[in-house]
Amino acid sequence: MGGTGGLVATRSALSATSPPVPAEPEPRGSLLATPPGVDCRCGSAADRAGGGGGRSTHLVRIAPVGSELVGCAWRPLGGVDLLDRLRATGRRRLRVDPELAVRLRSSIERGFERTDTANPRPGTEEGSTGSPLVVTKDRLTRVLACEAHDVASEFGERRPTVAMACGVLVDALFRQLVTVGAINDPMADGMDALACDDQQRPLLRWIESLPSAVRRELEVEVVRQAEALVARWPKLDARWLPRTQETMRCALSGGSLLLTARVDLAIGSPAGKEASIAIVEVKAGKRRAEHRADLHFYALVETLRRGAPPFVVATYYTRTGELDVDPMTEELLVGAARRTRAAVGALVGLAQGASPRRTPNGLCGACAALPECDPGFAYLESRGNGLEVAGLDGLLER
Amino acid sequence: MNCAGTSSGSTPAPGSSAILVSDPNAAVRRLADPVRPPSVGSWCDGSFGVPASPAAVRTRELLYGTHAPERGADEGPTPVGWERVRSRLTSVAMEAAEHLPTGATIEVTPALTRQVRHHPESPLGDGEPFSWKPAFVRRSLGLAVVEACVAGRFRSPADAVGPVLAHALATWEQSGTPAFHWEPWCAGLPRGARVTVMAEAITWATALWSSFEWGGFPAPPRFGWSYDRWTCPAARSIRLKARTEFRVPSTAGASTTAMVAVSGGVPPPDWRAELAFVAVVAGLGSRSRPLPLRVMGLWPEAASHRTLEIDEPALRDAALLVERTLDAVVQTYRPDVPSGEAPELTIARRTS
């Protein structure tokens, strides 16, 4: 169930099951203003009657960014409302079922071992030594989009972009907000956080070398998103054990296969009976279909490593304040396992020397392998221009 | 006897499933709750009156072992067994020392054993110069945070990290002596970087804090601030060094202890030897402290733990691991390397 059909169902479920909530606190600052293209008026007479004074207070619809919205009220959630949306998903939380984790695990392992017999790869868990096949959400998405793209992306560092810099800075600021509850000087705080992270030093230098006008543009966006975060995100009770940038790993097939993920925010304590953890990913860019699949992968890794799934996974879009919430279900986990198995099969094939399949898609316009890729060229020509705008946008947003 | 306090209304113990609830009103009530004394800190005996959460299971396993048959104090390695491993390690160290250039030392740590396993061709690593970073602070700061929570001073790691860090910096400023080593570095950090240090420590500490039912231990855990060390008396250029996060008295008697060691990643293939190594260093390093009867390895990233009962085969495994590690390191000395030009062999990183 990795497709987008589930999203519609989820939204419906949210709309249908969300209890009436009290009026939102008055937005602080201009950053909570309605996003462009969004009609702030109430969507229906019933809404107006319920909300009082023409202000929608009990129905928040999630709409795609940039889409035309007519007669549809949309405002970002904030404070306790945001927290409640995360906590009260409208679905019964999954019971902890060790059998489910075993089934998911064996499903992936069977697929891996079937494809990996020609070239057994030693790993890190009991019974083996050496380097395992490491699967991350990015690698999984890349190889499923196009094997040739995955191979081309594997080498060399990604070229920094303003959007990438914005995303990394906002991630750091979100972490700061969760940790100390405040952001004083967004750009300075974010740059300081990058400076103490070895992996981000190249990006830091790149930002510092930007022309002043571009850097100013970046700063404006970072400040805008940081202020919106401060205005909307509630302080998380320390007793819920909020933690940021939590690394999750799960070794499969005797350690030959390693699934790994790092989540922006995890809340809740591991439980014995009922799913109790919420996972939140923060995105500074546009909504993309892959984000849901990424979250399902996180949920899968969490389920495999603990034997207990999270009860909810969610993506928070700092640019707009949208919150996409996915209550975790067995079907979603099974779908994530199938997707992972398919990707692992492709990665094993590539590792064994198989010629990468070329499957043109929206990322072709920005793919490093495009100059040698006939199908990619043909795809772009068929689209009428040299670059597939949505795909490039999507890539730059990462 | 039940663990009194673990069901206290506003402060679910780690491992409890009641952290996030689906009743929004309950959420508001919880948010509005005044600070109440934490439930931990009420020590009780080894039985448990709470559902078998992962934390409770882990706690019980640390106290009683994997299969729960309570071992008597005499079921661990005998004094003769400990002497045997001491003797074997001494001879192994002496042999390795013979091949070392003058002035060279080898410090065998779990990190070195891993390096030898993964990169036997370059057991000394890349020789990257040390510089402080948040990841190097998280363990010691996180451990101080967990200790403060277990002592009942704070409800959770997120509450504790700010005051604990501030206290460490203030103490250093007053005394001039850094207890953790990182205080001078941390004091000079700008806000954004210091928050990163705190966030890293919270995430590390939360993993440990939520891994055990702290009220289930019969006595307060003793947290490990310093390394255990054993220096071969006959070959002082060879040292063994390891650390544990905390220890609790073993249920088998006051002369033995159960220890917990936290590592990153997933359990390695030779986790038994690695945990045994930790036990051997602790056992040989002090003649006055209780001997380790059991070691639990905790790999929070994998949400995994492994428990090793320390017996004579475990001691032998540890000795073998040391022997292999020293062999690999000694191999890096070619006969044509003149003495006095020995590379620095101490690769244990200063991760406090």
Side-chain angles (χ1 to χ4, degrees):
Chain A
M1 290 275 292
T4 53
L7 182 60
V8 175
T10 301
R11 285 183 193 147
S12 306
L14 282 172
S15 298
T17 57
S18 295
V21 294
E24 285 188 33
E26 205 57 40
R28 281 179 280 166
S30 61
L31 295 168
L32 280 182
T34 310
V38 175
D39 184 348
C40 212
R41 290 169 303 174
C42 195
S44 69
D47 291 346
R48 280 190 291 274
R55 184 173 178 222
S56 172
T57 57
H58 69 282
L59 180 65
V60 179
R61 289 185 186 143
I62 299 172
V65 179
S67 65
E68 282 286 320
L69 295 178
V70 179
C72 177
W74 186 92
R75 287 187 305 126
L77 292 170
V80 175
D81 292 344
L82 191 149
L83 200 57
D84 284 346
R85 178 55 52 89
L86 265 180
R87 294 148 59 100
T89 64
R91 280 181 189 266
R92 188 180 179 82
R93 293 181 185 182
L94 284 177
R95 304 284 296 174
V96 173
D97 175 11
E99 279 299 310
L100 173 61
V102 169
R103 287 205 314 274
L104 295 169
R105 175 183 283 266
S106 62
S107 158
I108 299 170
E109 287 181 336
R110 277 201 310 273
F112 174 67
E113 285 153 13
R114 198 160 47 230
T115 52
D116 198 38
T117 49
N119 183 22
R121 185 179 292 96
T124 59
E125 184 69 271
E126 284 99 314
S128 56
T129 57
S131 300
L133 174 67
V134 178
V135 178
T136 63
K137 69 176 172 63
D138 286 338
R139 202 164 182 206
L140 206 147
T141 299
R142 275 201 318 258
V143 79
L144 289 177
C146 174
E147 293 177 6
H149 175 60
D150 177 67
V151 172
S153 307
E154 202 172 346
F155 305 102
E157 291 184 359
R158 281 163 56 187
R159 190 170 55 84
T161 64
V162 171
M164 180 197 293
C166 182
V168 172
L169 287 165
V170 170
D171 271 354
L173 294 173
F174 179 74
R175 193 177 201 196
Q176 175 169 333
L177 183 64
V178 171
T179 304
V180 295
I183 302 170
N184 290 353
D185 181 341
M187 196 64 184
D189 287 352
M191 294 289 275
D192 290 341
L194 263 57
C196 66
D197 182 343
D198 287 345
Q199 291 187 327
Q200 302 296 358
R201 291 230 173 91
L203 181 63
L204 181 75
R205 283 196 291 271
W206 182 83
I207 295 171
E208 287 169 343
S209 70
L210 284 174
S212 58
V214 180
R215 184 168 172 174
R216 178 69 192 148
E217 193 180 329
L218 170 65
E219 184 168 349
V220 166
E221 182 60 17
V222 168
V223 169
R224 190 185 75 82
Q225 295 198 19
E227 287 183 357
L229 272 175
V230 171
R232 292 173 191 150
W233 262 87
K235 178 161 175 51
L236 300 171
D237 193 308
R239 288 168 295 182
W240 301 338
L241 304 181
R243 62 268 184 199
T244 52
Q245 301 294 328
E246 184 178 44
T247 302
M248 308 188 302
R249 297 183 203 276
C250 178
L252 302 175
S253 293
S256 301
L257 176 62
L258 184 65
L259 308 185
T260 180
R262 199 166 203 224
V263 300
D264 287 336
L265 174 65
I267 317 170
S269 180
K273 286 186 173 179
E274 187 181 62
S276 61
I277 288 177
I279 288 174
V280 179
E281 186 74 351
V282 172
K283 298 287 183 191
K286 286 182 182 174
R287 172 195 272 126
R288 292 192 300 145
E290 300 93 283
H291 293 164
R292 286 193 76 225
D294 290 349
L295 285 173
H296 297 169
F297 178 69
Y298 290 167
L300 175 68
V301 179
E302 174 71 3
T303 307
L304 292 175
R305 73 173 184 149
R306 286 198 198 280
F311 76 90
V312 69
V313 290
T315 307
Y316 184 76
Y317 294 93
T318 53
R319 195 167 70 162
T320 58
E322 294 165 286
L323 179 69
D324 277 358
V325 178
D326 252 344
M328 198 37 60
T329 64
E330 195 171 321
E331 289 75 19
L332 289 179
L333 289 169
V334 170
R338 284 186 187 145
R339 181 171 178 267
T340 303
R341 189 173 61 182
V344 165
L347 288 170
V348 169
L350 292 174
Q352 290 175 347
S355 178
R357 286 184 300 140
R358 297 172 189 275
T359 46
N361 63 77
L363 300 179
C364 286
C367 177
L370 182 63
E372 301 91 38
C373 182
D374 291 339
F377 263 117
Y379 172 80
L380 292 179
E381 281 176 6
S382 73
R383 307 281 295 189
N385 58 31
L387 291 177
E388 209 285 318
V389 176
L392 180 60
D393 258 358
L395 198 68
L396 292 178
E397 287 298 338
R398 297 185 57 126
Chain B
M1 190 172 100
N2 279 350
C3 298
T6 50
S7 59
S8 163
S10 66
T11 310
S16 140
S17 59
I19 298 297
L20 286 168
V21 293
S22 51
D23 171 10
N25 294 327
V28 175
R29 284 197 301 274
R30 278 171 186 272
L31 287 168
D33 270 349
V35 175
R36 294 186 189 173
S39 61
V40 292
S42 51
W43 310 109
C44 53
D45 66 19
S47 60
F48 296 86
V50 295
S53 70
V57 169
R58 214 171 277 123
T59 303
R60 190 170 184 81
E61 191 171 314
L62 179 61
L63 287 173
Y64 298 106
T66 319
H67 302 295
E70 196 164 339
R71 297 191 337 178
D74 57 345
E75 290 182 63
T78 60
V80 173
W82 281 101
E83 276 312 313
R84 202 175 287 139
V85 74
R86 184 192 304 272
S87 167
R88 179 170 173 191
L89 287 173
T90 300
S91 63
V92 164
M94 286 172 66
E95 189 178 340
E98 284 175 12
H99 296 89
L100 291 183
T102 309
T105 61
I106 301 179
E107 196 164 70
V108 182
T109 63
L112 180 59
T113 66
R114 280 178 224 134
Q115 177 73 16
V116 164
R117 185 174 69 243
H118 290 303
H119 304 285
E121 72 289 352
S122 59
L124 302 183
D126 54 12
E128 187 185 331
F130 177 83
S131 63
W132 282 108
K133 55 182 84 172
F136 291 169
V137 177
R138 67 183 165 208
R139 187 251 176 189
S140 57
L141 178 56
L143 203 54
V145 161
V146 173
E147 186 177 32
C149 291
V150 171
R153 297 204 298 274
F154 300 96
R155 300 171 304 175
S156 76
D159 273 343
V161 71
V164 168
L165 176 60
H167 179 71
L169 296 182
T171 305
W172 165 65
E173 279 166 9
Q174 284 167 8
S175 69
T177 307
F180 296 99
H181 305 293
W182 42 252
E183 292 94 328
W185 173 74
C186 214
L189 287 177
R191 180 185 169 87
R194 197 183 288 194
V195 169
T196 304
V197 170
M198 293 166 65
E200 287 283 330
I202 290 173
T203 301
W204 189 94
T206 301
L208 180 59
W209 170 243
S210 59
S211 290
F212 295 95
E213 290 278 5
W214 297 93
F217 292 125
R222 295 177 67 87
F223 287 88
W225 293 107
S226 56
Y227 283 91
D228 291 311
R229 288 184 174 83
W230 179 73
T231 303
C232 176
R236 302 200 67 80
S237 54
I238 310 291
R239 284 195 297 268
L240 311 188
K241 190 170 100 169
R243 68 187 182 195
T244 52
E245 266 58 35
F246 71 90
R247 344 178 156 205
V248 291
S250 155
T251 51
S255 62
T256 56
T257 185
M259 311 192 305
V260 171
V262 178
S263 301
V266 299
D270 57 349
W271 61 267
R272 289 181 184 82
E274 207 169 280
L275 295 183
F277 174 78
V278 169
V280 162
V281 179
L284 297 182
S286 168
R287 288 182 184 271
S288 58
R289 282 198 300 209
L291 289 168
L293 183 68
R294 182 176 301 120
V295 183
M296 176 180 283
L298 197 62
W299 289 266
E301 292 175 359
S304 293
H305 72 276
R306 303 281 188 275
T307 303
L308 182 73
E309 303 294 331
I310 302 302
D311 49 19
E312 295 202 18
L315 299 185
R316 283 198 295 272
D317 284 351
L320 189 60
L321 181 66
V322 172
E323 191 172 349
R324 284 181 183 153
T325 303
L326 287 174
D327 275 352
V329 174
V330 164
Q331 290 298 323
T332 63
Y333 284 93
R334 298 188 308 270
D336 57 334
V337 176
S339 64
E341 290 183 22
E344 178 55 62
L345 283 173
T346 303
I347 70 158
R349 296 207 171 101
R350 199 177 166 197
T351 54
S352 68

